[in-house]
Amino acid sequence: MAKSNLEQDILKVLVTEEEVAKRVNELGEELFDKFADKNPMFVGVLKGCFIFMADLVRATQIQSELEFIGLSSYQSGTASSGVVEITRDLQKDITGRHIIVVEDILDSGNTLSFLKKLLEAKGAASVTIVTLLDKPSRREKAITADYVGFVVPDEFVVGYGLDYDQKYRNMPYIGVLKPEVYSK
Ligand code: XMP
Ligand code: MG
């Protein structure tokens, strides 16, 4: 295990590194079965997706392409503003393509309901949503993911790509921060 000065801020571990790896491999197999003959395009939602995306595409050994989109619904802190902005648009035409959206967490649903409509408006043949984490208790929009890694309780989570104030993305597992970290 790598030396860490992040761990001291973690109250509890929700999903271990081993559990993440096992689940990502299962998701890769399911995506293989559905998309092997479809040449899909993975669209990762920056920045939270970056570690999950890297592991998921390597667990899904099919002909495919990848793209990233930058979206932001958070002004700061831990609550959704409800307004979604495109901070970096797709660089490729997606007309007629089968899109696999890769997201870190489905929370209020504002981000993914905006993105799904956007991709459909851009002419996608299909939009499939894969989210590492699902926090159904906080949903504001009627949206469900097609593939979910783990359902998590209503707590702010960090690690494996997910941040608090841009930090903790590089932790290899998913955890909850100590309350005092927020009041620093
Ligand atoms: P919505 O509310 O639009 O949220 O479904 C999606 C985006 O909000 C961020 N988010 C979180 N980030 N821990 C995080 O580090 C969380 O518990 C959390 N909840 C929401 C995340 O960027 C996601 O893409
Ligand atoms: Mg995000």
Side-chain angles (χ1 to χ4, degrees):
M1 263 254 256
K3 288 198 243 177
S4 174
N5 66 7
L6 303 172
E7 226 153 71
Q8 65 201 25
D9 291 350
I10 299 301
L11 179 69
K12 63 184 172 192
V13 178
L14 278 186
V15 189
T16 67
E17 195 174 347
E18 293 74 24
E19 287 167 333
V20 171
K22 181 168 176 279
R23 187 71 188 116
V24 171
N25 282 322
E26 288 169 0
L27 291 171
E29 285 184 13
E30 290 180 40
L31 292 176
F32 183 97
D33 292 342
K34 188 162 169 205
F35 289 99
D37 58 352
K38 294 203 164 63
N39 186 31
M41 188 186 284
F42 287 87
V43 172
V45 185
L46 293 170
K47 303 175 198 167
C49 76
F50 82 112
I51 293 179
F52 180 40
M53 180 91 155
D55 286 344
L56 186 67
V57 296
R58 285 178 295 174
T60 316
Q61 289 292 304
I62 57 175
Q63 300 281 343
S64 56
E65 292 168 42
L66 55 138
E67 273 288 314
F68 291 96
I69 191 165
L71 297 174
S72 171
S73 68
Y74 273 35
Q75 314 296 36
S76 65
T78 64
S80 173
S81 65
V83 181
V84 181
E85 275 180 349
I86 302 174
T87 55
R88 179 199 186 272
D89 207 347
L90 296 174
Q91 308 291 304
K92 269 202 96 171
D93 182 17
I94 62 160
T95 309
R97 299 298 302 266
H98 294 283
I99 305 295
I100 303 172
V101 172
V102 181
E103 172 66 303
D104 54 359
I105 184 166
L106 172 54
D107 192 347
S108 70
N110 288 321
T111 305
L112 283 178
S113 63
F114 171 89
L115 180 58
K116 194 169 185 188
K117 281 187 210 131
L118 179 76
L119 297 172
E120 284 166 356
K122 284 178 183 277
S126 67
V127 179
T128 298
I129 294 174
V130 184
T131 187
L132 175 68
L133 305 177
D134 186 5
K135 207 189 266 185
S137 53
R138 298 226 310 181
R139 203 76 91 246
E140 292 169 17
K141 296 273 160 57
I143 182 144
T144 49
D146 301 282
Y147 298 90
V148 174
F150 302 91
V151 175
V152 290
D154 184 8
E155 291 180 283
F156 196 78
V157 297
V158 297
Y160 197 70
L162 292 115
D163 71 304
Y164 169 66
D165 209 12
Q166 299 303 326
K167 297 193 243 336
Y168 305 98
R169 292 193 196 272
N170 53 333
M171 284 196 332
Y173 56 88
I174 295 155
V176 177
L177 289 173
K178 291 178 181 165
E180 58 263 34
V181 177
Y182 299 109
S183 47
K184 264 182 199 164

